[in-house]
Amino acid sequence: MLDTYERNINYLRISVTDRCNFRCVYCMPPQGKRWLDHDDILTYEELLRLIEVFNREGVTKIRLTGGEPLVRKGIVEFIAAVTALGRIKDISLTTNGSLLPPLAKDLKAAGLSRVNISLDTVNPASFARLTTCGRLEDTMKGIESAMEAGLAPVKLNVVLTEALTEKDLAYFVELVYRHPIAVRFIEYMPIGGRGFGGGPDIATVKKMLNEAGRALLKPTGTVRGNGPAKYYQFPRAQGAFGFITPISEHFCSACNRLRLTADGKLRPCLLSNDEIDVKTPLRNGASDRELAELFHAAVAAKPQGHSLCRSSGFPDFERTMSQIGG
């Protein structure tokens, strides 16, 4: 479905829970957040119905997020049910990776195509500070299990914070030479967390990668997923580096997504507080056509772009990143 600015909206990011086993500093405040009550979260049956309805309006790709989606019981069976619909061409998932090892093969068998795993540093102490309660070794095992299960391409999401060092970049350079993995550097977006501050900018990261790789990164084709990252590759490397710049270089003109929060709100734009309630009509007996009209309303409300930039500051967001689904 085309929006007001001729963008084809065919991608839905679905938050299946606001809960997470980490407390990443840029994702939620230090005191944490009050979790949604069980009854406030859309059931898997409700999500399946919305996926069917929205698919008829053009959605062919979904990504499951949280919180941490793997903390929700029944996630493997839910993915199998989405696959069984036979209508969604691409199912992916964003995770911190810590819970992946016992689930990776089952997720792949259920129909999950690939995963994005958050890994902002490979320094155990810095990782523990960033995540508050996470262990680096758990996430590293999750990455290994994803590659072994064939959830390809595995993508690593690296938020640019002061935790990122030359040693991290040297590790990532070695990684992409050895494995067909995509390491994506993401500008920090201040949505409800307490930040970590002081991270390098994209230009600096590229320069440091070139020095660590002793070669020049060259632009390469889009890595599977068709997201906002611009990809570069070293000669003879199996993997690639991606750069995602929501603040310094907006990619709104190519944005093809809506977001559905765990409590049933459609968000036309991540960087806006605007939401459309679909849970209440859904639970009050709305027809498929009425639910489709809410999807149309969200598409129509999608702005041409956001106006965030570091020089003008950032607005107050009513929800943290963990509550939105990223």
mmCIF file of all heavy atoms in Angstrom, residues 143-191:
data_model
loop_
_atom_site.group_PDB
_atom_site.id
_atom_site.type_symbol
_atom_site.label_atom_id
_atom_site.label_comp_id
_atom_site.label_asym_id
_atom_site.label_seq_id
_atom_site.Cartn_x
_atom_site.Cartn_y
_atom_site.Cartn_z
ATOM 1 N N ILE A 143 25.105 -15.784 19.161
ATOM 2 C CA ILE A 143 25.560 -15.518 17.793
ATOM 3 C C ILE A 143 26.014 -16.814 17.130
ATOM 4 O O ILE A 143 25.667 -17.101 15.979
ATOM 5 C CB ILE A 143 26.688 -14.472 17.809
ATOM 6 C CG1 ILE A 143 26.153 -13.121 18.290
ATOM 7 C CG2 ILE A 143 27.309 -14.326 16.419
ATOM 8 C CD1 ILE A 143 27.246 -12.107 18.597
ATOM 9 N N GLU A 144 26.781 -17.599 17.863
ATOM 10 C CA GLU A 144 27.252 -18.882 17.319
ATOM 11 C C GLU A 144 26.079 -19.796 16.973
ATOM 12 O O GLU A 144 26.069 -20.441 15.912
ATOM 13 C CB GLU A 144 28.165 -19.565 18.340
ATOM 14 C CG GLU A 144 29.493 -18.873 18.567
ATOM 15 C CD GLU A 144 30.307 -19.533 19.673
ATOM 16 O OE1 GLU A 144 29.914 -20.641 20.107
ATOM 17 O OE2 GLU A 144 31.306 -18.940 20.105
ATOM 18 N N SER A 145 25.097 -19.861 17.856
ATOM 19 C CA SER A 145 23.956 -20.750 17.609
ATOM 20 C C SER A 145 23.151 -20.283 16.407
ATOM 21 O O SER A 145 22.614 -21.099 15.650
ATOM 22 C CB SER A 145 23.069 -20.828 18.852
ATOM 23 O OG SER A 145 22.394 -19.612 19.109
ATOM 24 N N ALA A 146 23.029 -18.966 16.206
ATOM 25 C CA ALA A 146 22.296 -18.441 15.055
ATOM 26 C C ALA A 146 22.983 -18.815 13.751
ATOM 27 O O ALA A 146 22.336 -19.212 12.774
ATOM 28 C CB ALA A 146 22.156 -16.930 15.173
ATOM 29 N N MET A 147 24.318 -18.716 13.722
ATOM 30 C CA MET A 147 25.059 -19.087 12.515
ATOM 31 C C MET A 147 24.948 -20.588 12.259
ATOM 32 O O MET A 147 24.757 -21.019 11.117
ATOM 33 C CB MET A 147 26.512 -18.645 12.646
ATOM 34 C CG MET A 147 26.700 -17.134 12.599
ATOM 35 S SD MET A 147 28.427 -16.599 12.391
ATOM 36 C CE MET A 147 29.106 -17.047 14.002
ATOM 37 N N GLU A 148 25.054 -21.383 13.314
ATOM 38 C CA GLU A 148 24.958 -22.830 13.155
ATOM 39 C C GLU A 148 23.581 -23.261 12.671
ATOM 40 O O GLU A 148 23.451 -24.226 11.907
ATOM 41 C CB GLU A 148 25.280 -23.512 14.488
ATOM 42 C CG GLU A 148 26.737 -23.403 14.899
ATOM 43 C CD GLU A 148 26.978 -23.917 16.312
ATOM 44 O OE1 GLU A 148 25.991 -24.328 16.974
ATOM 45 O OE2 GLU A 148 28.143 -23.893 16.756
ATOM 46 N N ALA A 149 22.540 -22.522 13.082
ATOM 47 C CA ALA A 149 21.172 -22.874 12.699
ATOM 48 C C ALA A 149 20.818 -22.399 11.290
ATOM 49 O O ALA A 149 19.775 -22.780 10.753
ATOM 50 C CB ALA A 149 20.182 -22.292 13.704
ATOM 51 N N GLY A 150 21.664 -21.570 10.689
ATOM 52 C CA GLY A 150 21.376 -21.071 9.345
ATOM 53 C C GLY A 150 20.429 -19.895 9.318
ATOM 54 O O GLY A 150 19.767 -19.663 8.299
ATOM 55 N N LEU A 151 20.372 -19.142 10.404
ATOM 56 C CA LEU A 151 19.542 -17.934 10.434
ATOM 57 C C LEU A 151 20.324 -16.806 9.761
ATOM 58 O O LEU A 151 20.835 -15.895 10.411
ATOM 59 C CB LEU A 151 19.172 -17.580 11.882
ATOM 60 C CG LEU A 151 18.212 -18.565 12.547
ATOM 61 C CD1 LEU A 151 18.157 -18.336 14.052
ATOM 62 C CD2 LEU A 151 16.809 -18.435 11.940
ATOM 63 N N ALA A 152 20.420 -16.884 8.459
ATOM 64 C CA ALA A 152 21.343 -16.049 7.714
ATOM 65 C C ALA A 152 20.630 -15.023 6.835
ATOM 66 O O ALA A 152 19.548 -15.284 6.319
ATOM 67 C CB ALA A 152 22.234 -16.943 6.844
ATOM 68 N N PRO A 153 21.288 -13.852 6.640
ATOM 69 C CA PRO A 153 22.543 -13.487 7.282
ATOM 70 C C PRO A 153 22.326 -13.023 8.722
ATOM 71 O O PRO A 153 21.384 -12.281 9.000
ATOM 72 C CB PRO A 153 23.050 -12.336 6.422
ATOM 73 C CG PRO A 153 21.792 -11.680 5.923
ATOM 74 C CD PRO A 153 20.810 -12.797 5.718
ATOM 75 N N VAL A 154 23.190 -13.454 9.628
ATOM 76 C CA VAL A 154 23.165 -12.921 10.979
ATOM 77 C C VAL A 154 23.645 -11.475 10.908
ATOM 78 O O VAL A 154 24.666 -11.175 10.278
ATOM 79 C CB VAL A 154 24.068 -13.742 11.914
ATOM 80 C CG1 VAL A 154 24.172 -13.081 13.280
ATOM 81 C CG2 VAL A 154 23.534 -15.161 12.048
ATOM 82 N N LYS A 155 22.888 -10.587 11.549
ATOM 83 C CA LYS A 155 23.269 -9.177 11.584
ATOM 84 C C LYS A 155 23.507 -8.766 13.025
ATOM 85 O O LYS A 155 22.698 -9.070 13.898
ATOM 86 C CB LYS A 155 22.167 -8.302 10.968
ATOM 87 C CG LYS A 155 21.890 -8.598 9.503
ATOM 88 C CD LYS A 155 20.781 -7.711 8.966
ATOM 89 C CE LYS A 155 20.465 -8.036 7.505
ATOM 90 N NZ LYS A 155 19.376 -7.179 6.983
ATOM 91 N N LEU A 156 24.621 -8.095 13.259
ATOM 92 C CA LEU A 156 24.935 -7.580 14.582
ATOM 93 C C LEU A 156 24.655 -6.084 14.608
ATOM 94 O O LEU A 156 25.164 -5.346 13.757
ATOM 95 C CB LEU A 156 26.393 -7.850 14.943
ATOM 96 C CG LEU A 156 26.855 -9.307 14.894
ATOM 97 C CD1 LEU A 156 28.291 -9.413 15.391
ATOM 98 C CD2 LEU A 156 25.941 -10.200 15.722
ATOM 99 N N ASN A 157 23.851 -5.653 15.569
ATOM 100 C CA ASN A 157 23.518 -4.241 15.714
ATOM 101 C C ASN A 157 24.407 -3.614 16.782
ATOM 102 O O ASN A 157 24.372 -4.024 17.945
ATOM 103 C CB ASN A 157 22.049 -4.070 16.102
ATOM 104 C CG ASN A 157 21.110 -4.388 14.957
ATOM 105 O OD1 ASN A 157 21.533 -4.454 13.802
ATOM 106 N ND2 ASN A 157 19.848 -4.566 15.264
ATOM 107 N N VAL A 158 25.194 -2.626 16.393
ATOM 108 C CA VAL A 158 26.131 -1.964 17.298
ATOM 109 C C VAL A 158 25.710 -0.503 17.440
ATOM 110 O O VAL A 158 25.885 0.295 16.517
ATOM 111 C CB VAL A 158 27.576 -2.045 16.760
ATOM 112 C CG1 VAL A 158 28.554 -1.424 17.761
ATOM 113 C CG2 VAL A 158 27.963 -3.482 16.436
ATOM 114 N N VAL A 159 25.137 -0.156 18.580
ATOM 115 C CA VAL A 159 24.782 1.240 18.835
ATOM 116 C C VAL A 159 26.054 1.999 19.204
ATOM 117 O O VAL A 159 26.855 1.529 20.025
ATOM 118 C CB VAL A 159 23.732 1.348 19.962
ATOM 119 C CG1 VAL A 159 23.445 2.812 20.289
ATOM 120 C CG2 VAL A 159 22.445 0.649 19.548
ATOM 121 N N LEU A 160 26.231 3.161 18.616
ATOM 122 C CA LEU A 160 27.460 3.923 18.837
ATOM 123 C C LEU A 160 27.413 4.610 20.199
ATOM 124 O O LEU A 160 26.683 5.574 20.407
ATOM 125 C CB LEU A 160 27.648 4.952 17.725
ATOM 126 C CG LEU A 160 27.834 4.359 16.323
ATOM 127 C CD1 LEU A 160 28.029 5.462 15.292
ATOM 128 C CD2 LEU A 160 29.017 3.396 16.295
ATOM 129 N N THR A 161 28.204 4.095 21.131
ATOM 130 C CA THR A 161 28.331 4.667 22.466
ATOM 131 C C THR A 161 29.804 4.756 22.820
ATOM 132 O O THR A 161 30.675 4.276 22.086
ATOM 133 C CB THR A 161 27.626 3.797 23.530
ATOM 134 O OG1 THR A 161 28.387 2.591 23.711
ATOM 135 C CG2 THR A 161 26.194 3.451 23.112
ATOM 136 N N GLU A 162 30.081 5.324 23.983
ATOM 137 C CA GLU A 162 31.472 5.445 24.423
ATOM 138 C C GLU A 162 32.106 4.091 24.711
ATOM 139 O O GLU A 162 33.325 3.980 24.856
ATOM 140 C CB GLU A 162 31.545 6.313 25.680
ATOM 141 C CG GLU A 162 30.872 5.683 26.891
ATOM 142 C CD GLU A 162 30.883 6.609 28.096
ATOM 143 O OE1 GLU A 162 30.924 7.834 27.910
ATOM 144 O OE2 GLU A 162 30.842 6.088 29.216
ATOM 145 N N ALA A 163 31.289 3.046 24.776
ATOM 146 C CA ALA A 163 31.826 1.707 25.033
ATOM 147 C C ALA A 163 32.595 1.148 23.843
ATOM 148 O O ALA A 163 33.430 0.256 23.988
ATOM 149 C CB ALA A 163 30.697 0.750 25.398
ATOM 150 N N LEU A 164 32.316 1.668 22.642
ATOM 151 C CA LEU A 164 32.952 1.146 21.434
ATOM 152 C C LEU A 164 34.404 1.612 21.353
ATOM 153 O O LEU A 164 34.692 2.813 21.398
ATOM 154 C CB LEU A 164 32.184 1.616 20.194
ATOM 155 C CG LEU A 164 32.633 1.030 18.864
ATOM 156 C CD1 LEU A 164 32.280 -0.455 18.794
ATOM 157 C CD2 LEU A 164 31.980 1.777 17.699
ATOM 158 N N THR A 165 35.323 0.660 21.206
ATOM 159 C CA THR A 165 36.749 0.972 21.193
ATOM 160 C C THR A 165 37.415 0.419 19.940
ATOM 161 O O THR A 165 36.803 -0.335 19.165
ATOM 162 C CB THR A 165 37.451 0.366 22.422
ATOM 163 O OG1 THR A 165 37.419 -1.072 22.308
ATOM 164 C CG2 THR A 165 36.763 0.796 23.713
ATOM 165 N N GLU A 166 38.686 0.739 19.772
ATOM 166 C CA GLU A 166 39.451 0.209 18.652
ATOM 167 C C GLU A 166 39.534 -1.315 18.721
ATOM 168 O O GLU A 166 39.542 -1.982 17.685
ATOM 169 C CB GLU A 166 40.855 0.816 18.647
ATOM 170 C CG GLU A 166 40.883 2.301 18.297
ATOM 171 C CD GLU A 166 42.298 2.841 18.225
ATOM 172 O OE1 GLU A 166 43.254 2.040 18.321
ATOM 173 O OE2 GLU A 166 42.455 4.070 18.059
ATOM 174 N N LYS A 167 39.610 -1.868 19.924
ATOM 175 C CA LYS A 167 39.660 -3.324 20.068
ATOM 176 C C LYS A 167 38.357 -3.966 19.568
ATOM 177 O O LYS A 167 38.384 -5.028 18.948
ATOM 178 C CB LYS A 167 39.919 -3.703 21.519
ATOM 179 C CG LYS A 167 41.340 -3.408 21.987
ATOM 180 C CD LYS A 167 41.568 -3.921 23.401
ATOM 181 C CE LYS A 167 43.015 -3.669 23.836
ATOM 182 N NZ LYS A 167 43.257 -4.161 25.224
ATOM 183 N N ASP A 168 37.226 -3.311 19.830
ATOM 184 C CA ASP A 168 35.960 -3.816 19.318
ATOM 185 C C ASP A 168 35.972 -3.824 17.797
ATOM 186 O O ASP A 168 35.576 -4.806 17.161
ATOM 187 C CB ASP A 168 34.787 -2.940 19.802
ATOM 188 C CG ASP A 168 34.554 -3.038 21.297
ATOM 189 O OD1 ASP A 168 34.552 -4.160 21.823
ATOM 190 O OD2 ASP A 168 34.375 -1.984 21.923
ATOM 191 N N LEU A 169 36.422 -2.722 17.213
ATOM 192 C CA LEU A 169 36.418 -2.613 15.758
ATOM 193 C C LEU A 169 37.373 -3.632 15.136
ATOM 194 O O LEU A 169 37.073 -4.215 14.085
ATOM 195 C CB LEU A 169 36.794 -1.197 15.338
ATOM 196 C CG LEU A 169 35.781 -0.125 15.749
ATOM 197 C CD1 LEU A 169 36.274 1.267 15.369
ATOM 198 C CD2 LEU A 169 34.417 -0.380 15.119
ATOM 199 N N ALA A 170 38.506 -3.865 15.783
ATOM 200 C CA ALA A 170 39.433 -4.887 15.275
ATOM 201 C C ALA A 170 38.770 -6.262 15.302
ATOM 202 O O ALA A 170 38.940 -7.065 14.372
ATOM 203 C CB ALA A 170 40.705 -4.878 16.109
ATOM 204 N N TYR A 171 38.003 -6.526 16.353
ATOM 205 C CA TYR A 171 37.281 -7.804 16.436
ATOM 206 C C TYR A 171 36.270 -7.920 15.300
ATOM 207 O O TYR A 171 36.162 -8.968 14.648
ATOM 208 C CB TYR A 171 36.572 -7.920 17.782
ATOM 209 C CG TYR A 171 35.642 -9.106 17.864
ATOM 210 C CD1 TYR A 171 36.120 -10.366 18.203
ATOM 211 C CD2 TYR A 171 34.282 -8.975 17.565
ATOM 212 C CE1 TYR A 171 35.275 -11.470 18.257
ATOM 213 C CE2 TYR A 171 33.432 -10.069 17.611
ATOM 214 C CZ TYR A 171 33.933 -11.306 17.957
ATOM 215 O OH TYR A 171 33.086 -12.387 18.000
ATOM 216 N N PHE A 172 35.507 -6.850 15.061
ATOM 217 C CA PHE A 172 34.494 -6.887 14.013
ATOM 218 C C PHE A 172 35.122 -7.043 12.626
ATOM 219 O O PHE A 172 34.564 -7.721 11.752
ATOM 220 C CB PHE A 172 33.631 -5.620 14.064
ATOM 221 C CG PHE A 172 32.756 -5.530 15.280
ATOM 222 C CD1 PHE A 172 32.659 -4.340 15.992
ATOM 223 C CD2 PHE A 172 32.027 -6.622 15.717
ATOM 224 C CE1 PHE A 172 31.843 -4.247 17.110
ATOM 225 C CE2 PHE A 172 31.208 -6.547 16.839
ATOM 226 C CZ PHE A 172 31.121 -5.352 17.545
ATOM 227 N N VAL A 173 36.283 -6.430 12.416
ATOM 228 C CA VAL A 173 36.983 -6.586 11.138
ATOM 229 C C VAL A 173 37.356 -8.050 10.923
ATOM 230 O O VAL A 173 37.121 -8.626 9.853
ATOM 231 C CB VAL A 173 38.240 -5.686 11.095
ATOM 232 C CG1 VAL A 173 39.140 -6.087 9.928
ATOM 233 C CG2 VAL A 173 37.836 -4.220 10.965
ATOM 234 N N GLU A 174 37.932 -8.665 11.940
ATOM 235 C CA GLU A 174 38.293 -10.078 11.835
ATOM 236 C C GLU A 174 37.058 -10.937 11.589
ATOM 237 O O GLU A 174 37.081 -11.885 10.801
ATOM 238 C CB GLU A 174 39.001 -10.537 13.115
ATOM 239 C CG GLU A 174 39.456 -11.988 13.073
ATOM 240 C CD GLU A 174 40.094 -12.440 14.369
ATOM 241 O OE1 GLU A 174 40.262 -11.598 15.277
ATOM 242 O OE2 GLU A 174 40.426 -13.639 14.474
ATOM 243 N N LEU A 175 35.970 -10.582 12.239
ATOM 244 C CA LEU A 175 34.734 -11.352 12.129
ATOM 245 C C LEU A 175 34.200 -11.356 10.698
ATOM 246 O O LEU A 175 33.812 -12.403 10.165
ATOM 247 C CB LEU A 175 33.684 -10.770 13.079
ATOM 248 C CG LEU A 175 32.409 -11.583 13.282
ATOM 249 C CD1 LEU A 175 32.716 -12.893 13.996
ATOM 250 C CD2 LEU A 175 31.396 -10.766 14.090
ATOM 251 N N VAL A 176 34.157 -10.186 10.046
ATOM 252 C CA VAL A 176 33.587 -10.132 8.697
ATOM 253 C C VAL A 176 34.512 -10.764 7.663
ATOM 254 O O VAL A 176 34.048 -11.179 6.590
ATOM 255 C CB VAL A 176 33.223 -8.690 8.276
ATOM 256 C CG1 VAL A 176 32.192 -8.096 9.210
ATOM 257 C CG2 VAL A 176 34.449 -7.799 8.179
ATOM 258 N N TYR A 177 35.802 -10.831 7.958
ATOM 259 C CA TYR A 177 36.688 -11.556 7.051
ATOM 260 C C TYR A 177 36.435 -13.058 7.120
ATOM 261 O O TYR A 177 36.530 -13.767 6.120
ATOM 262 C CB TYR A 177 38.151 -11.264 7.389
ATOM 263 C CG TYR A 177 38.722 -10.068 6.658
ATOM 264 C CD1 TYR A 177 39.114 -8.927 7.350
ATOM 265 C CD2 TYR A 177 38.875 -10.079 5.266
ATOM 266 C CE1 TYR A 177 39.644 -7.823 6.686
ATOM 267 C CE2 TYR A 177 39.397 -8.983 4.593
ATOM 268 C CZ TYR A 177 39.777 -7.864 5.307
ATOM 269 O OH TYR A 177 40.293 -6.775 4.643
ATOM 270 N N ARG A 178 36.071 -13.560 8.310
ATOM 271 C CA ARG A 178 35.931 -14.997 8.514
ATOM 272 C C ARG A 178 34.524 -15.528 8.288
ATOM 273 O O ARG A 178 34.350 -16.705 7.975
ATOM 274 C CB ARG A 178 36.374 -15.358 9.934
ATOM 275 C CG ARG A 178 37.862 -15.245 10.178
ATOM 276 C CD ARG A 178 38.266 -15.820 11.516
ATOM 277 N NE ARG A 178 37.786 -14.998 12.637
ATOM 278 C CZ ARG A 178 36.842 -15.372 13.488
ATOM 279 N NH1 ARG A 178 36.252 -16.551 13.353
ATOM 280 N NH2 ARG A 178 36.482 -14.586 14.483
ATOM 281 N N HIS A 179 33.511 -14.665 8.453
ATOM 282 C CA HIS A 179 32.123 -15.151 8.408
ATOM 283 C C HIS A 179 31.243 -14.236 7.542
ATOM 284 O O HIS A 179 31.462 -13.023 7.496
ATOM 285 C CB HIS A 179 31.526 -15.218 9.815
ATOM 286 C CG HIS A 179 32.250 -16.140 10.735
ATOM 287 N ND1 HIS A 179 32.151 -17.518 10.638
ATOM 288 C CD2 HIS A 179 33.094 -15.890 11.786
ATOM 289 C CE1 HIS A 179 32.885 -18.073 11.585
ATOM 290 N NE2 HIS A 179 33.468 -17.125 12.286
ATOM 291 N N PRO A 180 30.215 -14.797 6.905
ATOM 292 C CA PRO A 180 29.262 -13.980 6.123
ATOM 293 C C PRO A 180 28.246 -13.307 7.041
ATOM 294 O O PRO A 180 27.047 -13.578 7.011
ATOM 295 C CB PRO A 180 28.599 -15.018 5.217
ATOM 296 C CG PRO A 180 28.640 -16.284 6.010
ATOM 297 C CD PRO A 180 29.946 -16.243 6.769
ATOM 298 N N ILE A 181 28.752 -12.410 7.859
ATOM 299 C CA ILE A 181 27.952 -11.755 8.884
ATOM 300 C C ILE A 181 27.925 -10.261 8.583
ATOM 301 O O ILE A 181 28.859 -9.729 7.978
ATOM 302 C CB ILE A 181 28.572 -12.046 10.275
ATOM 303 C CG1 ILE A 181 27.564 -11.871 11.400
ATOM 304 C CG2 ILE A 181 29.812 -11.214 10.527
ATOM 305 C CD1 ILE A 181 28.027 -12.495 12.718
ATOM 306 N N ALA A 182 26.863 -9.583 8.949
ATOM 307 C CA ALA A 182 26.746 -8.143 8.718
ATOM 308 C C ALA A 182 26.815 -7.419 10.052
ATOM 309 O O ALA A 182 25.989 -7.674 10.941
ATOM 310 C CB ALA A 182 25.446 -7.813 7.991
ATOM 311 N N VAL A 183 27.798 -6.554 10.208
ATOM 312 C CA VAL A 183 27.936 -5.744 11.419
ATOM 313 C C VAL A 183 27.445 -4.343 11.083
ATOM 314 O O VAL A 183 28.010 -3.671 10.215
ATOM 315 C CB VAL A 183 29.396 -5.704 11.904
ATOM 316 C CG1 VAL A 183 29.510 -4.854 13.167
ATOM 317 C CG2 VAL A 183 29.922 -7.118 12.150
ATOM 318 N N ARG A 184 26.398 -3.890 11.776
ATOM 319 C CA ARG A 184 25.765 -2.605 11.446
ATOM 320 C C ARG A 184 25.942 -1.621 12.609
ATOM 321 O O ARG A 184 25.580 -1.926 13.748
ATOM 322 C CB ARG A 184 24.271 -2.803 11.189
ATOM 323 C CG ARG A 184 23.961 -3.662 9.966
ATOM 324 C CD ARG A 184 23.140 -4.844 10.366
ATOM 325 N NE ARG A 184 21.949 -4.442 11.081
ATOM 326 C CZ ARG A 184 20.817 -4.008 10.493
ATOM 327 N NH1 ARG A 184 20.730 -3.978 9.184
ATOM 328 N NH2 ARG A 184 19.768 -3.654 11.203
ATOM 329 N N PHE A 185 26.487 -0.460 12.305
ATOM 330 C CA PHE A 185 26.697 0.585 13.299
ATOM 331 C C PHE A 185 25.532 1.570 13.228
ATOM 332 O O PHE A 185 25.195 2.085 12.163
ATOM 333 C CB PHE A 185 28.024 1.291 13.049
ATOM 334 C CG PHE A 185 29.202 0.364 13.179
ATOM 335 C CD1 PHE A 185 29.782 -0.213 12.051
ATOM 336 C CD2 PHE A 185 29.720 0.039 14.419
ATOM 337 C CE1 PHE A 185 30.848 -1.081 12.165
ATOM 338 C CE2 PHE A 185 30.796 -0.832 14.540
ATOM 339 C CZ PHE A 185 31.358 -1.389 13.415
ATOM 340 N N ILE A 186 24.922 1.829 14.387
ATOM 341 C CA ILE A 186 23.684 2.592 14.445
ATOM 342 C C ILE A 186 23.874 3.830 15.317
ATOM 343 O O ILE A 186 24.320 3.726 16.469
ATOM 344 C CB ILE A 186 22.538 1.738 15.026
ATOM 345 C CG1 ILE A 186 22.393 0.436 14.233
ATOM 346 C CG2 ILE A 186 21.223 2.516 15.026
ATOM 347 C CD1 ILE A 186 21.426 -0.559 14.858
ATOM 348 N N GLU A 187 23.545 4.989 14.783
ATOM 349 C CA GLU A 187 23.592 6.204 15.587
ATOM 350 C C GLU A 187 22.617 6.093 16.766
ATOM 351 O O GLU A 187 21.490 5.614 16.609
ATOM 352 C CB GLU A 187 23.228 7.422 14.733
ATOM 353 C CG GLU A 187 24.293 7.789 13.722
ATOM 354 C CD GLU A 187 23.910 8.992 12.889
ATOM 355 O OE1 GLU A 187 22.697 9.248 12.732
ATOM 356 O OE2 GLU A 187 24.813 9.667 12.377
ATOM 357 N N TYR A 188 23.077 6.542 17.909
ATOM 358 C CA TYR A 188 22.267 6.493 19.121
ATOM 359 C C TYR A 188 21.034 7.384 18.983
ATOM 360 O O TYR A 188 21.127 8.542 18.580
ATOM 361 C CB TYR A 188 23.116 6.937 20.315
ATOM 362 C CG TYR A 188 22.331 7.278 21.545
ATOM 363 C CD1 TYR A 188 21.625 6.293 22.228
ATOM 364 C CD2 TYR A 188 22.293 8.585 22.029
ATOM 365 C CE1 TYR A 188 20.900 6.610 23.372
ATOM 366 C CE2 TYR A 188 21.573 8.907 23.159
ATOM 367 C CZ TYR A 188 20.871 7.912 23.828
ATOM 368 O OH TYR A 188 20.161 8.225 24.949
ATOM 369 N N MET A 189 19.869 6.828 19.317
ATOM 370 C CA MET A 189 18.616 7.580 19.331
ATOM 371 C C MET A 189 18.117 7.668 20.771
ATOM 372 O O MET A 189 17.863 6.636 21.400
ATOM 373 C CB MET A 189 17.563 6.894 18.451
ATOM 374 C CG MET A 189 17.872 6.932 16.973
ATOM 375 S SD MET A 189 16.624 6.051 15.984
ATOM 376 C CE MET A 189 17.058 4.344 16.356
ATOM 377 N N PRO A 190 17.978 8.868 21.320
ATOM 378 C CA PRO A 190 17.651 9.037 22.740
ATOM 379 C C PRO A 190 16.168 8.843 23.025
ATOM 380 O O PRO A 190 15.443 9.789 23.330
ATOM 381 C CB PRO A 190 18.084 10.480 23.013
ATOM 382 C CG PRO A 190 17.826 11.172 21.716
ATOM 383 C CD PRO A 190 18.142 10.165 20.635
ATOM 384 N N ILE A 191 15.705 7.607 22.958
ATOM 385 C CA ILE A 191 14.282 7.343 23.153
ATOM 386 C C ILE A 191 14.074 6.673 24.504
ATOM 387 O O ILE A 191 13.997 5.452 24.623
ATOM 388 C CB ILE A 191 13.710 6.477 22.024
ATOM 389 C CG1 ILE A 191 13.997 7.133 20.669
ATOM 390 C CG2 ILE A 191 12.210 6.278 22.184
ATOM 391 C CD1 ILE A 191 13.459 6.359 19.490
#
